[in-house]
């Protein structure tokens, strides 16, 4: 009897072991097929009753739609303790989804034995435990806002807002006067009639809304298009990017546009989608990762149109605002005074380093890229040969005679220049010796006896060429570095780095002498020169330039005592004479009640001496009394237009407007 009981017990143990192995194999097969998206293979694991309840095609479609819709990846299943009595295998499942990780431990895999093998009893709960027949898995996007760009006073220069789409309801629009209405719309919107007819022709359903253009919400064009629904002319609201409606800000702010295929492929973090708008120029591009918002996603179960449970939720991350040091009023004023001339202007606060204006002229209106460009605007761009496509405030120019401040300051600090020493110079041409061959330094003035103040006031090239030779190349290079030439200004916006020469040396006498009066190979930005002259208004110090204002920002000195106390008044006196004295080259900029120091400059752009080249005109001014602003402006090709005195006049008008 005992022997019989032993055999029975052994057989029971054997069967239990065999049963566990079969269940484990079933689970492993289920896991392998789910992980590898083999939904057809998964279907073959189902019991006959389950297969009668859902067709293979519907089964495959259901899994494919749900798992691809939530972007399931890295699926991992872990089997729990098998419940042989209830014929259920508990398991947990983790996966990555578009809304983050899903981690659930309440899954159950029910099974049944059919024809000596185990099969899965399938139901919707095997997709997600709480699901019932007829439930839907939904993916909802929570749109994140893009951060705003604010000026120093908190005014929004770029922000998300409401645009107005002007469109047509063809079924009504086409009923009567179609051609006349197309002509009228084209005239109001300043677009071609062809633009409208092409969009209408591309539409296949007469009851669809056909968008024509987007407008800013305060556009005066809207007053002519409101309440015209009966004519088939409609307006709709949409979210979009709105910029300060002024060309003065275009090159600085940039714009956003739809993401490119290449940019999308490069997005390893998976932040963007095909519908994303990204910065393509200006601050919008430079600060894309700061400004961009990251959309939130929710995955949830919907039953009879109602959300019953959230499976995963990734909250939207709104973009961060950036605040810039720009004074919008000054930025606009500078741009308007430049009147479309090709050039650059930069204004800084001498005592803080804040960049108050950063202007490239001509520029574009950033709203063109989020609304549309009118026919008139397109025509104007063609007329100026698309000159607005170049960012001139980030460009380098030869400084011409404006560099003489740096030569003078360096000579004074090194002791190679005596401000009261009179140099005797005969004629308008000079060369060091015969080794220069046919090369001469030329000047406009013809004074024989010249000291520093007269040399500055009359912009004497020969005087400064002589002084450059006397101080030597090493001293002039170091002096230029003190005035930010060759320094990475790191303002948080890419501006080309200035240079003293093409190779960083001044190893030839002619090059050294030419550099002394601002020719040679020296190249600077208007920011470099605005900072250089700001030292005259800030006790000889140059502050670190700042474009991006942060909560904890504190002004700091970039270059300390580039002009010593004993030499500051000498240079202030010399460079204020340029403006204050009636025979100074910048006297046109004189403003009663405001003491300015400044310098004119004409940079000749030519291959060799004797050739006729183009000329860029400069004027730089800094106010010595209030120390509110130092401004540098350069205009290209002045010989064909405004002339250097025209640049002086522009700067004067800016300062009159800003300081008074």
């Amino acid at each position: 009897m005992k022997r019989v009981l032993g055999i029975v017990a052994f057989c029971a143990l054997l069967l239990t072991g065999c049963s566990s192995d079969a269940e484990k194999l079933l689970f492993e097969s289920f896991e392998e097929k789910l992980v590898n998206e083999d939904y057809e293979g998964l279907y073959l694991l189902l019991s006959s009753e389950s297969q009668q309840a859902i067709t293979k095609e519907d089964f495959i479609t259901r899994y494919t739609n749900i798992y691809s819709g939530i972007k399931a990846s890295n699926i991992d299943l872990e089997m729990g303790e098998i419940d042989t009595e209830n014929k259920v295998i508990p398991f947990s499942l983790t996966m990555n989804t578009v809304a983050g990780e899903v981690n659930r431990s309440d899954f159950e895999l029910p099974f049944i034995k059919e024809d000596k093998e185990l099969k899965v009893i399938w139901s919707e709960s095997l997709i997600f435990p709480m699901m019932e027949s007829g439930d839907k898995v939904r993916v909802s996007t929570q749109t994140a806002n893009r951060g705003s760009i604010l000026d120093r006073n908190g005014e929004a220069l770029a922000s998300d807002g409401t645009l107005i789409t002007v469109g047509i309801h063809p079924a009504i629009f086409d009923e009567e006067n179609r051609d006349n209405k197309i002509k009228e719309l084209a005239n109001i919107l300043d677009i071609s009639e062809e633009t409208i007819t092409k969009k209408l022709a591309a539409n296949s359903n007469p009851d669809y809304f056909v968008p024509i253009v987007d407008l800013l919400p305060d556009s005066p064009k809207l007053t002519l298009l409101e309440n015209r629904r009966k004519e088939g002319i409609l307006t709709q609201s949409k979210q979009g990017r709105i910029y300060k409606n002024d060309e003065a800000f275009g090159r600085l702010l940039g714009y956003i546009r739809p993401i490119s295929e290449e940019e999308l492929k490069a997005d390893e973090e998976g932040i963007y989608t095909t519908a994303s708008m990204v910065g393509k120029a200006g601050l919008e591009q430079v600060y894309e990762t700061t400004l961009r918002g990251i959309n939130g996603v929710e995955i949830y179960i919907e039953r009879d149109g109602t959300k019953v449970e959230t499976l995963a939720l990734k909250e939207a991350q709104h973009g961060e605002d950036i605040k810039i040091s720009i004074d919008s009023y000054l930025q606009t004023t500078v741009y308007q005074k430049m009147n479309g001339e090709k050039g650059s202007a930069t204004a800084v606060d001498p005592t803080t380093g804040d960049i108050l204006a950063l202007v490239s002229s001509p520029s574009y209106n950033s709203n063109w890229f989020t609304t549309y460009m009118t026919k008139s605007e397109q025509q104007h761009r063609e007329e100026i040969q698309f000159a607005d496509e170049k960012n001139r405030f980030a460009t380098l120019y030869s400084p011409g005679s404006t560099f003489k401040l740096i030569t003078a300051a360096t000579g004074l600090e090194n002791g190679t220049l005596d401000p009261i020493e009179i140099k005797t110079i005969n004629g308008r041409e000079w060369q060091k010796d015969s080794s220069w061959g046919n090369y001469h330094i030329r000047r406009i003035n013809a004074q024989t006896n010249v000291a520093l103040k007269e040399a500055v006031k009359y912009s004497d090239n020969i005087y400064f060429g002589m002084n450059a030779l006397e101080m030597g190349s090493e001293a002039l290079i170091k002096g230029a570095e003190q005035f930010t030439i060759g320094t990475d200004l790191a303002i948080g916006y890419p501006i080309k780095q200035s240079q003293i020469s093409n190779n960083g040396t001044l190893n030839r006498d002619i090059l050294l002498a030419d550099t002394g009066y601002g020719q040679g190979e020296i190249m600077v930005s208007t920011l470099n020169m605005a900072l250089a002259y700001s030292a005259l208004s800030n006790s000889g110090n140059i502050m670190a330039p700042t474009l991006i204002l942060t909560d904890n920002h504190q002004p700091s000195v970039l270059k300390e005592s580039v002009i010593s106390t004993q030499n500051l008044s000498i240079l202030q006196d010399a460079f204020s004479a340029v403006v204050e004295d009636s025979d100074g080259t910048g006297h046109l900029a004189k403003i009663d009640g405001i003491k300015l120091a400044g310098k004119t400059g004409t940079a000749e752009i030519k291959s060799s001496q004797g050739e006729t080249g183009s000329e860029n005109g400069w004027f730089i001014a800094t106010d010595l009394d209030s120390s509110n602003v130092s401004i540098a402006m350069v205009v290209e090709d002045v010989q064909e237009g405004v002339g250097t005195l025209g640049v002086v006049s522009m700067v004067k008008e800016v300062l009159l407007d800003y300081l008074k």
Side-chain angles (χ1 to χ4, degrees):
M1 183 69 180
K2 288 182 180 179
R3 186 180 175 196
V4 171
L5 287 173
I7 293 171
V8 170
F10 174 77
C11 290
L13 181 64
L14 182 63
L15 287 170
T16 302
C18 292
S19 175
S20 296
D21 287 345
E23 290 147 359
K24 185 179 179 183
L25 286 172
L26 176 65
F27 178 80
E28 289 175 348
S29 182
F30 176 85
E31 178 184 26
E32 185 265 332
K33 289 173 172 53
L34 184 65
V35 169
N36 292 306
E37 302 177 21
D38 180 9
Y39 304 133
E40 183 174 358
L42 195 64
Y43 185 78
L44 296 176
L45 297 179
L46 304 190
S47 67
S48 57
E49 186 177 345
S50 297
Q51 289 184 351
Q52 288 173 5
I54 184 169
T55 67
K56 182 169 70 172
E57 290 74 16
D58 288 346
F59 180 88
I60 293 172
T61 299
R62 189 120 174 86
Y63 265 99
T64 301
N65 289 347
I66 290 174
Y67 274 65
S68 64
I70 66 175
K71 295 186 178 178
S73 64
N74 299 325
I75 301 169
D76 184 58
L77 281 66
E78 186 172 336
M79 187 174 73
E81 187 174 343
I82 301 169
D83 184 349
T84 54
E85 183 178 346
N86 294 306
K87 297 183 179 179
V88 169
I89 306 173
F91 67 95
S92 61
L93 180 147
T94 61
M95 69 172 85
N96 294 331
T97 72
V98 68
E101 187 179 76
V102 171
N103 188 344
R104 299 192 69 103
S105 58
D106 54 347
F107 280 89
E108 291 184 339
L109 182 70
F111 58 89
I112 190 173
K113 192 170 185 179
E114 285 185 356
D115 299 329
K116 298 182 180 181
E117 63 177 328
L118 299 184
K119 292 288 186 176
V120 173
I121 301 174
W122 187 84
S123 69
E124 303 283 338
S125 64
L126 270 173
I127 300 176
F128 288 108
M130 74 298 298
M131 284 188 69
E132 298 177 2
S133 179
D135 286 358
K136 294 179 173 60
V137 177
R138 298 294 193 192
V139 178
S140 173
T141 300
Q142 300 173 354
T143 303
N145 297 327
R146 189 174 179 85
S148 297
I149 302 174
L150 311 172
D151 76 356
R152 67 186 299 105
N153 298 312
E155 179 187 351
L157 303 177
S159 60
D160 289 350
T162 302
L163 299 173
I164 307 298
T165 302
V166 177
I168 290 171
H169 183 184
I172 299 174
F173 188 84
D174 292 347
E175 284 180 355
E176 57 181 355
N177 299 323
R178 182 183 192 271
D179 292 343
N180 288 338
K181 285 185 286 188
I182 288 175
K183 186 174 293 186
E184 181 195 7
L185 263 181
N187 184 55
I188 292 171
L189 299 173
D190 194 6
I191 59 177
S192 68
E193 293 178 32
E194 184 182 12
T195 299
I196 299 173
T197 56
K198 278 186 175 180
K199 291 189 176 185
L200 288 173
N203 176 60
S204 58
N205 190 326
D207 284 319
Y208 281 173
F209 176 80
V210 179
I212 303 301
V213 298
D214 294 330
L215 294 174
L216 297 178
D218 59 354
S219 171
K221 295 181 175 71
L222 286 171
T223 59
L224 301 172
L225 299 170
E226 292 172 341
N227 303 315
R228 300 188 64 174
R229 181 174 292 273
K230 291 181 180 179
E231 300 175 65
I233 300 173
L234 311 177
T235 57
Q236 291 183 358
S237 298
K238 63 178 284 189
Q239 288 301 108
R241 195 69 164 168
I242 296 178
Y243 297 95
K244 188 170 178 65
N245 200 22
D246 194 318
E247 288 182 9
F249 297 84
R251 289 294 342 175
L252 177 60
L253 296 176
Y255 51 86
I256 61 171
R257 294 290 288 165
I259 192 168
S260 69
E261 188 176 337
E262 292 75 18
E263 289 168 327
L264 198 56
K265 286 180 180 177
D267 176 28
E268 295 179 356
E269 298 176 76
I271 290 171
Y272 298 107
T273 69
T274 53
S276 294
M277 303 287 283
V278 298
K280 296 286 188 175
L283 289 167
E284 290 278 32
Q285 183 179 43
V286 175
Y287 290 92
E288 168 64 21
T289 56
T290 301
L291 294 166
R292 72 184 179 195
I294 301 176
N295 288 340
V297 185
E298 182 181 15
I299 301 173
Y300 62 91
I301 304 297
E302 182 184 274
R303 184 176 301 150
D304 299 325
T306 303
K307 180 168 65 176
V308 294
E309 184 170 342
T310 296
L311 298 172
L313 175 63
K314 182 175 72 174
E315 297 284 356
Q317 298 177 38
H318 299 299
E320 297 178 31
D321 296 345
I322 62 170
K323 189 174 186 179
I324 60 176
S325 58
I326 296 297
D327 182 314
S328 289
Y329 181 79
L330 181 58
Q331 178 87 4
T332 302
T333 301
V334 172
Y335 186 79
Q336 289 174 347
K337 299 306 181 186
M338 292 185 76
N339 197 32
E341 294 287 343
K342 291 183 291 185
S344 164
T346 300
V348 301
D349 182 325
T351 61
T352 66
D354 286 358
I355 300 172
L356 303 175
L358 207 51
V359 173
S360 177
S361 175
S363 185
Y364 52 72
N365 189 323
S366 295
N367 289 306
W368 291 348
F369 300 93
T370 53
T371 57
Y372 74 107
M373 195 183 303
T374 67
K375 193 166 61 173
S376 299
E377 288 162 344
Q378 290 172 337
Q379 183 177 344
H380 174 67
R381 294 190 74 217
E382 292 171 6
E383 289 170 353
I384 64 172
Q385 298 180 322
F386 303 97
D388 58 2
E389 293 183 349
K390 182 177 180 179
N391 188 347
R392 288 175 168 78
F393 69 69
T395 298
L396 300 181
Y397 292 90
S398 172
S401 292
T402 62
F403 186 76
K404 289 170 182 173
L405 169 65
I406 297 171
T407 304
T410 304
L412 288 171
E413 296 299 320
N414 287 338
T416 58
L417 190 156
D418 182 345
I420 61 173
E421 179 190 356
I422 295 174
K423 290 186 181 295
T424 301
I425 305 172
N426 295 309
R428 287 193 168 92
E429 292 186 353
W430 177 85
Q431 61 177 194
K432 178 185 175 183
D433 53 42
S434 60
S435 67
W436 285 19
N438 294 325
Y439 190 82
H440 295 80
I441 297 176
R442 293 188 171 92
R443 62 178 182 169
I444 296 174
N445 56 304
Q447 288 78 14
T448 302
N449 300 315
V450 185
L452 175 63
K453 185 173 182 178
E454 289 73 31
V456 172
K457 187 165 64 171
Y458 302 133
S459 200
D460 194 312
N461 292 341
I462 295 175
Y463 177 91
F464 283 96
M466 287 178 169
N467 274 284
L469 291 170
E470 288 171 13
M471 75 177 71
S473 61
E474 185 177 342
L476 187 55
I477 290 171
K478 286 183 178 179
E481 289 173 352
Q482 281 290 90
F483 281 88
T484 80
I485 309 304
T487 300
D488 180 4
L489 295 176
I491 64 168
Y493 192 103
I495 290 180
K496 290 182 180 178
Q497 189 167 311
S498 54
Q499 64 172 46
I500 192 70
S501 70
N502 294 340
N503 62 11
T505 68
L506 299 173
N507 53 8
R508 291 175 284 116
D509 280 348
I510 290 177
L511 179 61
L512 173 60
D514 282 348
T515 303
Y517 61 93
Q519 290 289 153
E521 297 169 352
I522 183 169
M523 299 293 284
V524 299
S525 66
T526 49
L527 175 58
N528 287 121
M529 301 314 292
L531 289 171
Y533 278 74
S534 74
L536 294 173
S537 298
N538 190 39
S539 304
N541 300 315
I542 295 176
M543 305 301 289
T546 300
L547 179 62
I548 306 300
L549 297 178
T550 58
D551 292 339
N552 58 357
H553 170 71
Q554 293 293 327
S556 61
V557 176
L558 176 67
K559 302 287 186 178
E560 188 172 7
S561 299
V562 296
I563 305 172
S564 60
T565 303
Q566 64 268 27
N567 291 325
L568 182 60
S569 60
I570 296 170
L571 291 171
Q572 287 175 332
D573 182 54
F575 284 86
S576 62
V578 172
V579 177
E580 299 295 323
D581 290 6
S582 60
D583 54 350
T585 57
H587 182 65
L588 184 61
K590 180 176 172 56
I591 301 172
D592 292 338
I594 297 174
K595 188 174 183 181
L596 299 175
K599 187 71 188 74
T600 56
T602 303
E604 297 178 274
I605 314 300
K606 56 186 181 181
S607 300
S608 60
Q609 194 172 49
E611 287 188 0
T612 300
S614 61
E615 294 179 354
N616 296 335
W618 283 83
F619 186 58
I620 306 173
T622 185
D623 68 305
L624 297 179
D625 294 330
S626 63
S627 299
N628 282 332
V629 65
S630 173
I631 181 170
M633 182 183 292
V634 61
V635 173
E636 299 172 15
D637 303 324
V638 289
Q639 80 283 1
E640 296 178 358
V642 299
T644 299
L645 287 180
V647 185
V648 176
S649 179
M650 290 175 187
V651 172
K652 177 184 180 178
E653 290 178 19
V654 169
L655 295 176
L656 263 174
D657 199 286
Y658 188 67
L659 295 175
K660 282 214 163 184

